[in-house]
């Protein structure tokens, strides 16, 4: 095989995988990983590193895979990232590190994500843990939320010797990695739990079922002796289309649909809160969340239609997820805009009224915008509608904390790229600051927050001395 051709990766057969929740991508074997790693030309000034929000030594870990020292490769990853097995699966590498790979100019870029996944999985499968905890420095920091931002912030603080406690609202830590992204893309027990165990080994205390803003407030946390707080509470409030019929029985937010399925096992017959299984399901939206909801509904036995206002070229979901969805038989209704959800006499969804769209011109960001085609309305029969139109942060924490400012979209306002907020000693990062974004950006923000907290506490000490 030529130096410019990527070693192909194996996937579960589409006809089989639509009947199970097992992981779709099967990953590289050691032989395949070594062959792919050997394609890396070890650039002196690697662009893949500069573009990575957590600055992983990409050539370094790939070199170790090529040398067949998989443990060392995993160790290098762990120095930079608290969640390498997660990032290897869900990061949009095609738009980041892999996009800058020099080999991509003449052929296929290096499969950086799949190699990251390989090395991280090697450590998990062989029970290798990396506890980089430093000796305690006696200072306590609280982290709110156990998603990628909170995990990454906690991991960095533990490495610096801080005593860290994470307060998590749900009964299981992991944030969107556990309640949002489905098993077939990110196995939660095998991968997410293993990464969280690593964090606990490093000394993190995690208290679940604590809703900050309701169970306790920021003031209570400071009174318990924590010197700084990092808020990584994500963006969990779903947005709905403002159209008639959204309150009908059978309309879900993608968040609720996925959470019920992922966290409460709604797909199992014995589940306490079974999900309504539609015969024909319409998913409205075109991002990763829409693909996850559509593919979940397919696995639950429904015929699934993704309704999107633009065309395939504009779909914001990752290419791999779109291709996987198409292979799995998800139907796409492009250039289609829902304007009403129609119900039957009992108040159950029976159809979506749509209109056709066409793309005209470009907006200021260069994105084509959809305009309705006159007299093009049609009703499309479905019995379940899932809205995957984005989310905003929940204003609960800010509403119970003096001086913590948020903007008109409920996002916590940070004063600089270190995550300082308007409230003394309180830092924030991830989706709660940016609105719904990506795992790696949330991790980068968590890391930056940890650095800023370290600096803040050291400065406080100097002033006291
Ligand atoms: C279905 C889905 C698929 C996605 N797919 C991808 C993908 O393929 N690639 C990618 O890069 N990104 C993806 N994303 C986006 C990505 O998951 C998020 O950007 C990322 O998880 C944000 O991390 P976070 O730590 O800021 O927030 P979250 O992961 O949302 O974690 C926040 C945590 O804070 C907790 N919390 C909230 N409020 C409180 C409170 N008051 N008190 C205590 N705890 C609280 C929440 O329960 C949660 O556990 C996806 C998102 C969804 C929903």
């Amino acid at each position: 095989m030529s130096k410019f051709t990527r070693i192909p990766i194996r996937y579960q057969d589409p006809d089989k995988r639509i009947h199970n929740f097992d992981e779709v991508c099967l990953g590289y074997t050691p032989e395949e990983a070594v062959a792919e790693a050997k394609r890396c030309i070890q650039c002196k000034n690697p662009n893949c590193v500069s573009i990575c929000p957590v600055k992983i030594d990409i050539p370094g870990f790939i070199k170790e895979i090529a040398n067949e020292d998989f443990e060392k490769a995993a160790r290098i990853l762990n120095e930079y990232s608290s969640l390498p097995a997660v990032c290897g699966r869900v990061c949009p590498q095609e738009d980041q590190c892999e996009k800058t790979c020099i080999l991509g100019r003449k052929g296929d870029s290096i499969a950086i994500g799949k190699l990251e996944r390989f090395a991280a999985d090697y450590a998990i499968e062989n029970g290798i843990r990396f506890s980089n905890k430093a000796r305690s420095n006696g200072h306590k920091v609280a982290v709110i939320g156990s998603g990628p931002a909170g995990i990454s912030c906690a991991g960095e603080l533990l490495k610096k010797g801080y005593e860290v406690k994470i307060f998590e609202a749900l009964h299981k830590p992991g944030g969107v990695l556990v309640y949002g992204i489905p098993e077939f893309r990110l196995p939660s027990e095998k991968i997410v739990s293993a990464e969280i165990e690593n964090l606990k080994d490093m000394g993190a205390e995690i208290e679940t079922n604590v809703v900050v803003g309701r169970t306790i407030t920021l003031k209570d946390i400071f009174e318990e002796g924590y010197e700084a707080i990092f808020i990584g509470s994500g963006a969990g409030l779903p947005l709905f289309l403002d159209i008639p019929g959204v309150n009908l029985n059978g309309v879900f937010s993608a968040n609720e649909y996925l959470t019920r399925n992922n966290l409460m096992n709604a797909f199992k017959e014995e589940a306490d809160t079974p999900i309504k299984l539609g015969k024909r399901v319409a998913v409205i939206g075109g991002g990763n969340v829409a693909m996850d909801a559509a593919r979940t509904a397919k696995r639950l036995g429904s015929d699934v239609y993704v309704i999107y206002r633009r065309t395939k070229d504009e779909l914001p979901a990752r290419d791999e997820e779109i291709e996987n969805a198409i292979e799995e038989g998800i139907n796409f209704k492009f250039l289609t805009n829902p304007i009403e959800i129609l119900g039957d006499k009992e108040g159950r969804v029976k159809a979506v009224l749509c209109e056709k769209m066409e793309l005209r011109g470009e907006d200021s960001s260069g994105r084509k915008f959809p305009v309705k085609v006159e007299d093009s309305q049609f009703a499309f029969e479905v019995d379940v509608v899932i809205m995957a139109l984005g989310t905003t942060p929940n204003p609960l924490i800010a509403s119970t904390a003096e001086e913590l400012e948020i903007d008109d979209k409920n996002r916590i306002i940070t004063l600089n790229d270190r995550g300082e907020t308007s409230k003394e000693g309180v830092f924030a990062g991830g989706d709660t600051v940016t609105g719904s974004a990506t795992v790696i950006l949330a991790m980068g923000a968590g890391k930056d927050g940890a650095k800023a907290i370290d600096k803040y506490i050291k400065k406080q000490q100097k002033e006291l001395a």
Side-chain angles (χ1 to χ4, degrees):
M1 210 173 259
S2 127
K3 180 105 184 150
F4 296 105
T5 309
R6 191 180 272 204
I7 303 291
I9 197 136
R10 292 157 303 119
Y11 290 89
Q12 225 199 118
D13 183 65
D15 293 338
K16 281 200 188 128
R17 71 187 192 228
I18 56 168
H19 300 294
N20 67 53
F21 278 84
D22 297 341
E23 198 169 8
V24 166
C25 178
L26 301 173
Y28 278 140
T29 62
E31 295 72 27
E32 289 165 345
V34 170
E36 179 63 13
K38 283 186 172 160
R39 292 204 307 123
C40 175
I41 58 172
Q42 296 288 314
C43 298
K44 281 227 171 67
N45 295 309
N47 293 328
C48 55
V49 178
S50 30
I51 198 173
C52 172
V54 294
K55 302 282 174 280
I56 291 177
D57 175 9
I58 293 170
F61 93 81
I62 291 182
K63 189 172 167 195
E64 295 310 331
I65 296 180
N67 291 340
E68 298 186 33
D69 191 341
F70 306 141
E71 180 170 341
K72 195 161 174 199
R75 187 174 296 281
I76 293 174
L77 282 171
N78 208 263
E79 273 169 36
Y80 299 86
S81 164
S82 316
L83 296 165
V86 170
C87 289
R89 285 171 166 81
V90 303
C91 264
Q93 292 99 2
E94 64 279 8
D95 290 326
Q96 298 186 3
C97 51
E98 292 178 8
K99 197 175 185 177
T100 66
C101 174
I102 285 188
L103 287 183
R105 292 187 195 160
K106 287 196 174 169
D108 296 335
S109 56
I110 294 286
I112 299 171
K114 304 291 186 231
L115 289 175
E116 179 180 21
R117 165 190 166 144
F118 170 79
D121 281 8
Y122 176 86
I124 291 173
E125 281 157 17
N126 291 282
I128 302 164
R129 296 262 180 92
F130 303 102
S131 294
N132 300 328
K133 185 177 167 38
R135 271 219 347 249
S136 169
N137 63 14
H139 295 280
K140 284 170 52 169
V141 178
V143 171
I144 302 172
S146 62
I151 291 175
S152 168
C153 181
E156 288 304 307
L157 289 168
L158 289 161
K159 283 183 203 166
K160 293 180 197 295
Y162 287 93
E163 289 173 25
V164 180
K165 179 163 174 182
I166 303 179
F167 296 95
E168 167 55 51
L170 294 175
H171 64 273
K172 214 172 171 188
V176 169
L177 306 179
V178 170
Y179 75 74
I181 304 180
E183 281 287 310
F184 55 81
R185 222 151 58 79
L186 181 62
S188 95
E189 275 315 311
K190 181 178 157 209
I191 304 303
V192 187
S193 299
E195 307 248 38
I196 286 169
E197 282 310 308
N198 227 356
L199 201 67
K200 286 191 191 158
D201 280 356
M202 289 168 70
E205 191 188 339
I206 305 181
E207 190 177 342
T208 52
N209 298 315
V210 185
V211 182
V212 178
R214 190 160 297 143
T215 326
I216 49 169
T217 61
L218 297 189
K219 191 165 169 259
D220 299 330
I221 296 177
F222 278 125
E223 280 172 8
E224 282 181 25
Y226 292 93
E227 291 158 74
I229 300 175
F230 177 83
I231 306 177
S233 49
L237 271 191
L239 296 170
F240 280 86
L241 273 183
D242 187 14
I243 57 174
V246 284
N247 292 325
L248 287 167
N249 191 349
V251 180
F252 294 89
S253 71
N255 258 38
E256 181 190 349
Y257 191 83
L258 289 167
T259 305
R260 281 207 198 190
N261 199 58
N262 298 341
L263 212 53
M264 301 168 197
N265 294 328
F267 60 92
K268 290 187 182 158
E269 275 174 20
E270 67 273 19
D272 292 337
T273 54
I275 215 158
K276 177 169 167 40
L277 302 178
K279 270 205 185 96
R280 277 161 66 97
V281 172
V283 177
I284 301 174
N288 286 322
V289 182
M291 295 308 124
D292 283 345
R295 297 172 69 199
T296 295
K298 182 80 190 176
R299 281 160 175 75
L300 295 172
S302 310
D303 275 341
V304 187
Y305 298 80
V306 171
I307 298 182
Y308 183 58
R309 291 193 307 165
R310 295 181 167 87
T311 71
K312 181 170 184 254
D313 291 343
E314 288 83 29
L315 279 173
R318 294 188 60 200
D319 295 347
E320 187 178 5
E321 307 314 325
I322 298 167
E323 291 317 316
N324 283 341
I326 293 170
E327 282 174 7
E328 289 169 11
I330 305 294
N331 306 288
F332 286 83
K333 290 190 108 34
F334 292 118
L335 293 170
T336 303
N337 187 38
I339 50 175
E340 183 173 352
I341 302 171
L342 306 173
D344 62 15
K345 277 192 217 129
E346 281 80 38
R348 289 181 306 228
V349 171
K350 68 169 191 189
V352 188
L353 186 64
C354 301
E355 61 192 2
K356 293 302 291 176
M357 308 297 277
E358 60 186 10
L359 292 184
R360 284 214 208 121
E362 283 180 356
D363 61 19
S364 53
S365 66
R367 214 171 169 219
K368 288 182 188 156
F369 56 84
V371 180
K372 79 171 176 186
V373 176
E374 289 304 327
D375 300 324
S376 63
Q377 284 187 8
F378 66 100
F380 182 63
E381 268 183 41
V382 290
D383 48 0
V384 165
V385 174
I386 302 172
M387 303 241 179
L389 299 155
T391 51
T392 57
N394 190 320
L396 180 66
I397 297 176
S399 69
T400 56
E402 277 167 28
E403 297 156 15
L404 184 63
E405 285 175 18
I406 54 174
D407 68 12
D408 57 353
K409 290 187 173 136
N410 296 340
R411 294 174 299 200
I412 295 178
I413 297 173
T414 49
L415 308 177
N416 48 43
D417 57 8
R418 299 183 298 279
E420 275 175 59
T421 69
S422 51
K423 190 168 173 63
E424 163 97 35
V426 178
F427 299 75
D431 281 6
T432 195
V433 169
T434 56
S436 184
T438 62
V439 170
I440 194 75
L441 285 175
M443 285 177 62
K447 244 180 151 175
D448 292 344
K451 265 189 230 150
I453 288 173
D454 181 45
K455 218 167 147 194
Y456 168 78
I457 292 180
K458 283 183 176 145
K459 191 169 163 234
Q460 297 287 103
Q461 271 189 292
K462 259 196 198 156
E463 283 171 9
L464 284 174

